[in-house]
């Protein structure tokens, strides 16, 4: 508990550009969570360097990501939105947790196996211990809940295992985190392969709508979206492409699928695609305007970044000092 609320922590990588799927499926739904939870949203730049990055690009993308979070409605006075690399406690706790994590456990991580296969020329130790840094992120703030996708579930499990192992040795030091199961957002699929989730790491740029896409690009991508040869607009699994377009339409307008189906009754796929593009643009244009506005106000954004890093550091240090004491590090003279 923190300030009388449970703690929610989420980390996000600034690699790749955020998609409409990230927004409709996650971000948009987080705006009101701070009423119930003390929320931490960390741009995990330390995780990003486990694969090679161009420094200038990483810095730019990380700032953009942070800006998008704020533009999407996460009030930075009420949500702690900060860079992981600005809070030294993450690395410090990670070292300690490394000593309570087994090689065998890390060897079982499927994401490590996937990434090692993908970056065979750079299988570095950071890639291997990536889940331990993630455990440090979460445990540092005595997190109760973590909104994670299925791909990160294994990392949350190992976080719980490490925390329980530590608690068994030293008493109740860490809160054991759970997956956040709240209101789930819309599941948006790839426009080119509607059986796959829309992903910011998809190599085909036509598969995803990026939050920063301009109106013409959105219209073009919608028009090129893969559908089928049924020729009817119904919301059903047999027509994954059409279903996805309807899902996007509904998530953007707040309409129910039945109502959307009725609305498009007798119309062709072209009309549906145009309508989807229009509603997507009605969501993205104000968001992009807000991003631009925030970017202009450099001094304000810098002050937010500084204040939130200090706030995060304050809570991180509380946990860190406790942990350091437990493992036998000498107390710091005041
Ligand atoms: N590994 C997560 C991802 O790629 C990002 C992340 C880092 C994270 N630390 C976290 C997510 C802590 C949740 C909690 O999506």
């Amino acid at each position: 508990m923190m300030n009388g609320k449970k703690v929610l922590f989420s980390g996000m990588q600034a690699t790749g550009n955020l998609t409409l799927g990230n927004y409709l499926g996650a971000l948009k739904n987080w705006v009101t969570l701070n009423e119930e939870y003390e929320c931490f949203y960390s741009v995990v730049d330390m995780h990003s360097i486990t694969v090679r990055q161009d420094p200038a690009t990483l810095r730019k993308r990380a700032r953009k990501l942070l800006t998008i979070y704020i533009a999407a409605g996460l009030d930075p006075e009420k949500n702690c939105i900060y860079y992981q690399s600005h809070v030294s406690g993450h690395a410090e706790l990670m070292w300690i947790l490394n000593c309570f994590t087994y090689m065998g456990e890390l060897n079982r991580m499927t994401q490590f196996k996937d990434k090692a296969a993908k970056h065979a020329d750079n299988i570095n130790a950071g890639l291997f211990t990536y889940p331990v840094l993630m455990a440090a992120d979460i445990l540092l703030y005595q997190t109760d809940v973590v909104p994670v996708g299925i791909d990160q579930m294994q990392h949350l499990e190992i976080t719980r295992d490490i925390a329980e192992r530590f608690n068994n040795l030293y008493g109740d030091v860490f809160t054991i985190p759970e997956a956040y199961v709240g209101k789930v957002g819309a599941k948006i699929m790839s426009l080119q392969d509607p059986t796959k989730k829309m992903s910011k790491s998809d190599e085909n740029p036509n598969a995803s709508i990026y939050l920063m896409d301009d109106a013409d690009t959105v219209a073009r991508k919608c028009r090129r979206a893969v559908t089928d040869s049924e020729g009817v607009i119904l919301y059903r699994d047999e027509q994954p492409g059409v279903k996805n377009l309807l899902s996007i339409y509904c998530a953007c307008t707040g309409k129910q699928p039945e109502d959307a189906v009725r609305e498009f009754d007798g119309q062709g796929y072209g009309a549906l695609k145009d309508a989807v593009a229009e509603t997507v643009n009605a969501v993205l244009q104000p968001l992009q305007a807000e991003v631009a506005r925030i970017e202009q106000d450099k001094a304000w954004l810098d002050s937010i970044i500084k204040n939130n890093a200090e706030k995060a550091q304050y809570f991180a240090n509380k946990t860190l000092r406790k942990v350091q004491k437990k493992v036998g590090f000498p107390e710091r003279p005041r």
Side-chain angles (χ1 to χ4, degrees):
M1 294 294 243
M2 196 182 278
N3 300 327
K5 292 182 198 165
K6 286 191 167 184
V7 178
L8 178 147
F9 185 97
S10 175
M12 56 276 178
Q13 295 237 29
T15 39
N17 294 316
L18 282 196
T19 70
L20 186 66
N22 297 127
Y23 178 71
L24 297 175
L27 205 43
K28 178 177 179 237
N29 309 287
W30 294 351
V31 172
T32 55
L33 287 180
N34 68 71
E35 290 163 15
E36 198 181 338
Y37 298 97
E38 197 64 43
C39 296
F40 291 83
Y41 298 103
S42 184
V43 175
V44 293
D45 45 2
M46 290 162 65
H47 277 103
S48 294
I49 64 163
T50 53
V51 299
R52 290 283 172 265
Q53 303 289 340
D54 170 59
T57 308
L58 177 60
R59 204 169 357 252
K60 214 167 92 192
R61 282 199 169 145
R63 191 165 170 112
K64 182 72 105 190
L65 182 61
L66 203 133
T67 307
I68 290 176
Y69 269 63
I70 298 171
L74 292 172
D75 181 345
E77 308 278 352
K78 296 186 181 144
N79 298 275
C80 191
I81 305 174
Y82 72 100
Y83 294 115
Q84 184 186 32
S85 64
H86 282 188
V87 178
S88 60
H90 290 257
E92 292 178 82
L93 181 60
M94 185 212 187
W95 174 254
I96 296 174
L97 298 181
N98 264 333
C99 303
F100 294 85
T101 307
Y102 298 111
M103 301 284 285
E105 281 178 301
L106 292 174
N107 255 325
R108 284 197 290 276
M109 296 291 118
T110 55
Q111 192 176 75
F112 170 69
K113 290 185 214 171
D114 292 348
K115 286 197 180 171
K118 214 170 140 191
H119 305 279
D121 55 335
N122 182 22
I123 306 177
N124 61 72
L127 201 58
F128 190 62
T129 56
Y130 180 113
V132 189
L133 180 57
M134 190 160 151
D137 297 343
I138 296 168
L139 300 178
L140 205 43
Y141 301 97
Q142 304 292 350
T143 302
D144 295 281
V145 293
V146 185
V148 279
I150 186 90
D151 63 317
Q152 295 298 315
M153 213 46 110
Q154 205 184 22
H155 291 163
L156 183 59
E157 292 295 328
I158 196 175
T159 300
R160 292 164 55 91
D161 291 343
I162 297 168
E164 275 166 7
R165 185 172 304 141
F166 197 94
N167 283 357
N168 283 336
L169 288 164
Y170 300 106
D172 271 342
V173 178
F174 294 123
T175 301
I176 308 297
E178 281 173 30
Y180 171 74
V181 279
K183 197 177 137 235
V184 283
K187 191 167 180 204
I188 306 300
M189 313 304 277
S190 154
L191 296 179
Q192 292 299 313
D193 177 0
T195 61
K196 260 180 23 192
K197 231 175 101 173
M198 184 179 285
S199 162
K200 60 183 177 172
S201 49
D202 202 310
E203 271 155 33
N204 182 351
N206 287 324
S208 309
I209 293 173
Y210 300 112
L211 294 185
M212 292 296 129
D213 278 348
D214 62 34
D216 289 343
T217 307
V218 170
R220 182 169 43 77
K221 287 179 177 178
C222 287
R223 238 174 282 127
R224 286 196 190 160
V226 168
T227 50
D228 52 57
S229 54
E230 301 273 332
V232 288
I233 297 176
L234 291 172
Y235 189 77
R236 51 178 192 162
D237 293 339
E238 291 82 354
Q239 293 179 262
V242 171
K243 185 180 178 193
N244 189 37
L245 288 170
L246 287 168
S247 297
I248 296 173
Y249 183 76
C250 290
C252 290
T253 54
K255 291 180 183 168
Q256 293 302 315
E258 316 77 271
D259 297 326
V261 166
R262 213 169 302 128
E263 207 178 308
F264 290 107
D265 184 36
Q267 300 198 47
Y269 291 167
L272 173 64
K273 289 172 170 182
D274 287 344
V276 170
E278 202 174 302
T279 53
V280 168
N281 282 327
V283 169
L284 294 192
Q285 305 267 292
L287 182 71
Q288 291 172 8
E290 187 60 7
V291 167
R293 193 190 63 77
I294 294 169
E295 280 175 339
Q296 290 251 313
D297 205 345
K298 193 172 171 302
W300 177 79
L301 187 55
D302 284 342
S303 76
I304 289 294
I305 289 171
K306 182 161 180 277
N307 293 342
N308 277 337
E310 279 167 6
K311 177 178 163 189
Q313 182 86 273
Y314 169 80
F315 288 109
N317 277 347
K318 279 215 228 188
T319 302
L320 190 61
R321 296 293 171 253
K322 214 192 270 182
V323 172
Q324 287 168 331
K325 188 167 173 200
K326 291 285 184 187
V327 298
F329 292 170
E331 224 174 303
R332 295 167 190 234
R334 283 172 198 261

